[in-house]
Each structure stands twice: as C-alpha cells, then as structure tokens.
Amino acid sequence: MQEEHFSDFSQALVDWFKTCGKDYPWRRTTDPWAILVSEIMLQQTTIPTVLGRYEAWMAQFPTPAALAAADEQTALRSWEGLGYYRRVRALRAAAIAIEEQHRGVFPTSEEAIRALPGIGDYTVGALLSFAYNRPAPLVDANVSRVFARVFNDTTPVDSPTGRKRHWQLAARLVHPTNPRAYNSALMELGQTICTTASPTCLLCPVRVFCTATKPESLPVKLPKKEITAIEHFDIWHQTEQGLLMELQPDGKRHEGMYRLPRREPQDVTKLPHLCDQKYTVTRYKVTRHLYRAEAATPHPGEQFIPLEELASTPMASPDRKLVNRFLS
Ligand code: SF4
C-alpha cells in the first residue's frame, strides 16, 4: 500500500466497524480498569472463554481497590481456568500500584500507565485508544497478520525487524480522530476476515489497498522452537487430615498455587497407578503419571489441605481436573 492511501485505509476500517463491529462487554465501556481487565484476560485466552468469565470477574473486582484488597490466593482462585497465572499477579500488582501511587484513580498519562506493573506496549496502546480515545498504536498477532498481507511483507513478524516495522506502521496508520474504533476494527479484521488459514478477501473492507499476492502464505514467522516431551511422577495422598499438596514457591510458574506432590520415578513405580494425564504447556508436552500413596512423608512445602478447603484453594487446571476426578 502506498503512503498516500494510508488515511483512506484507516477511514475504511472505521466505517466498516461502525456497521460490522462486534459487541463485547469491554467495548461498551470507557472505564480504563474494565478495559485493562479485558486486555489482560484476552492475552493468550480466546474471546469465547473470556466472554464466559469477564463479567463475573468484574462483578467480584469492579475497581482496582477491590482487587488490591483481595489476597493473592483469592485472586488466583478466581482466575482459575484462564491459565497463565502471571497475568493475574500482574493485574493485582497494577491494582495495588493504582491504589498506592494514584490514590485509586486510574492514571491517564502514557508515562504513568507504562509504569504500572505488567503493562507492555500493546496494553498501553489499548488503554490509550480504547479508554481515552487517544491516537496510540497497537500491534498484536491479528494486526501483524493484516499488516504483513496489506503490505505483502515477508519479513518474519516475530523478528525484531518485523516487530519494529509493524509498530512504526501502526503509529502512522492510526486514525487521528477515531482511534478507538480504528484499533478495534484492525484487530477485528484479523480475527474475523483476514484469518490465519482462510482470509475472506471478498468481504474485506480494505481489499482495494491490499497488495498480498498469496495471503495464505503470510505472515512469515521465524522457525518454531522444538516441542520437548517431559514426564512427571506425582502422588495422590489423601488422609483424614486432607489431601497432601505442594505450595509452589516464589519464582515458579504457578507461584502461590498448589499442585499434587511430585516424586522421583523410583519412589512411585511400585504404587498403584491412578492415571496418566497429558497436556501441553508452552513448548513442553507433559505426561503426568499419578500414583496413589497410602503413606507419604510430606516434603518441604507440602501440607495437607482439608477436603472442604480444596474448592477455594488455587491450583492450575490440570490439578483441578485430577482433584475433581479422584476426590472421595
Ligand atoms: S484483502 Fe484479504 S489478505 Fe488483504 S487484508 Fe483483506 S482479508 Fe487480508
């Protein structure tokens, strides 16, 4: 696309969004806290999943003050099932910073927003444009795909050069007077029309500007890291004191959450086998072997959780599934 068409491209997206934009709860508000919550939830979680959880979360934590006042375990438990728990820790840290540094009022300056814990370039752009309607750029995977195709750009989108180029383009293309609708439209175009597998170019509101010759082959990405298979050997040890579980220490992926205790293979292979659980986390393909232990000495960090407290005890989804399945 030539530079002289940039403003027509942006206006075409805004016009399309007026009639075709989807109605989501986070698009009915300009409350920066509500928008921050939606943006954090939508990172690495699908829109249908977030739609099923967002309003309940906002009812429980309608303000930064509400989340800042909750303890971490309560926040983790409420986030359960959404995964990537560092997000809720960052959200709570941001809520505490808003309470302590901004007297509970969400900051409006870019500098102050950027200084909040867990806020990166994308979230800054989302808050400035969606909450304050300020012409701030944003780039996510959908926007990158649209740009790669519109500009027929074969630079890997996840390379430093590709990222820099798309952020520069985003800054130059953002609509000057309606950035809220423009940024929403750009992302929605990637979600609904300029999709990864099968772009529906005939329905595209910016097809006259698009220079992609083979859109399905774009965007180009750097080679993927190899998937590594790993195995874990865990025990189910339930007594009248409760279920033995291990609190994940600071710095661990699931810090502050509980999981079934882990053992060395030689310590469990003679125990009755309960099940194998398989799941994928980032670039790891996990196989978890679970054994029933009639006797077990708690290791450091392990403790019995009374059965009636398990429902309110934060744990990652794989552990929650096992607890729901085997609790007796
Ligand atoms: S014309 Fe096709 S490839 Fe180009 S932006 Fe639209 S949907 Fe994507």
Side-chain angles (χ1 to χ4, degrees), residues 146 149-150 189 193-195 199-201 204-207 210-212 215:
V146 171
R149 289 171 176 172
V150 167
L189 184 74
I193 290 185
C194 195
T195 57
T200 44
C201 301
C204 179
V206 292
R207 67 183 176 282
C210 183
T211 56

Side-chain angles (χ1 to χ4, degrees), residues 231-266:
E231 287 184 289
H232 294 310
F233 298 83
D234 295 350
I235 58 166
W236 180 277
H237 182 47
Q238 184 180 338
T239 71
E240 68 280 356
Q241 291 176 270
L243 182 65
L244 190 64
M245 299 205 77
E246 180 190 345
L247 177 63
Q248 298 303 288
D250 290 355
K252 285 277 189 181
R253 176 182 170 80
H254 288 139
E255 74 176 69
M257 305 182 83
Y258 288 81
R259 76 164 184 217
L260 293 168
R262 189 139 298 165
R263 294 291 184 265
E264 295 300 321
Q266 63 273 18

Side-chain angles (χ1 to χ4, degrees), residues 17-273:
F17 191 73
K18 278 182 197 156
T19 52
C20 299
K22 287 200 182 346
D23 176 33
Y24 297 126
W26 48 88
R27 285 189 178 158
R28 292 179 214 136
T29 179
T30 55
D31 172 6
W33 172 246
I35 287 165
L36 176 61
V37 170
S38 70
E39 291 300 333
I40 301 287
M41 274 194 185
L42 286 163
Q43 289 166 14
Q44 293 147 321
T45 304
T46 62
I47 290 175
T49 302
V50 172
L51 281 173
R53 301 289 299 276
Y54 175 74
E55 286 175 306
W57 175 278
M58 287 307 299
Q60 187 177 5
F61 305 113
T63 59
L67 183 57
D71 61 31
E72 186 178 271
Q73 301 259 307
T74 303
L76 286 167
R77 180 67 184 94
S78 297
W79 195 265
E80 241 184 70
L82 291 167
Y84 296 94
Y85 293 91
R86 66 184 153 68
R87 293 181 297 168
V88 67
R89 286 193 202 93
L91 187 59
R92 184 166 166 274
I96 292 169
I98 292 167
E99 279 302 288
E100 292 179 351
Q101 295 163 23
H102 302 281
R103 286 181 286 174
V105 179
F106 207 102
T108 56
S109 79
E110 177 176 344
E111 190 186 7
I113 292 172
R114 200 175 281 284
L116 292 173
I119 305 286
D121 292 335
Y122 168 83
T123 313
V124 170
L127 282 164
L128 290 174
S129 57
F130 299 149
Y132 303 128
N133 203 28
R134 302 221 302 258
L138 58 73
V139 178
D140 72 349
N142 288 304
V143 173
S144 262
R145 184 167 58 256
V146 171
F147 283 173
R149 289 171 176 172
V150 167
F151 291 93
N152 205 29
D153 183 0
T154 55
T155 312
V157 286
D158 46 356
S159 66
T161 309
R163 280 201 201 97
K164 187 175 171 195
R165 183 174 295 171
H166 286 184
W167 275 97
Q168 286 171 341
L169 280 172
R172 288 166 67 193
L173 283 162
V174 66
H175 196 282
T177 56
N178 205 342
R180 179 182 291 138
Y182 168 79
N183 276 342
S184 297
L186 191 55
M187 292 167 67
E188 190 153 316
L189 184 74
Q191 286 158 5
T192 61
I193 290 185
C194 195
T195 57
T196 308
S198 52
T200 44
C201 301
L202 281 176
L203 299 177
C204 179
V206 292
R207 67 183 176 282
V208 293
F209 308 105
C210 183
T211 56
T213 47
K214 283 189 190 165
E216 299 84 358
S217 67
L218 294 169
V220 172
K221 290 188 179 169
L222 294 170
K224 275 192 177 168
K225 285 184 184 157
E226 272 184 31
I227 298 285
T228 306
I230 52 173
E231 287 184 289
H232 294 310
F233 298 83
D234 295 350
I235 58 166
W236 180 277
H237 182 47
Q238 184 180 338
T239 71
E240 68 280 356
Q241 291 176 270
L243 182 65
L244 190 64
M245 299 205 77
E246 180 190 345
L247 177 63
Q248 298 303 288
D250 290 355
K252 285 277 189 181
R253 176 182 170 80
H254 288 139
E255 74 176 69
M257 305 182 83
Y258 288 81
R259 76 164 184 217
L260 293 168
R262 189 139 298 165
R263 294 291 184 265
E264 295 300 321
Q266 63 273 18
D267 296 334
V268 298
T269 45
K270 288 187 180 154
L271 299 176
H273 178 243

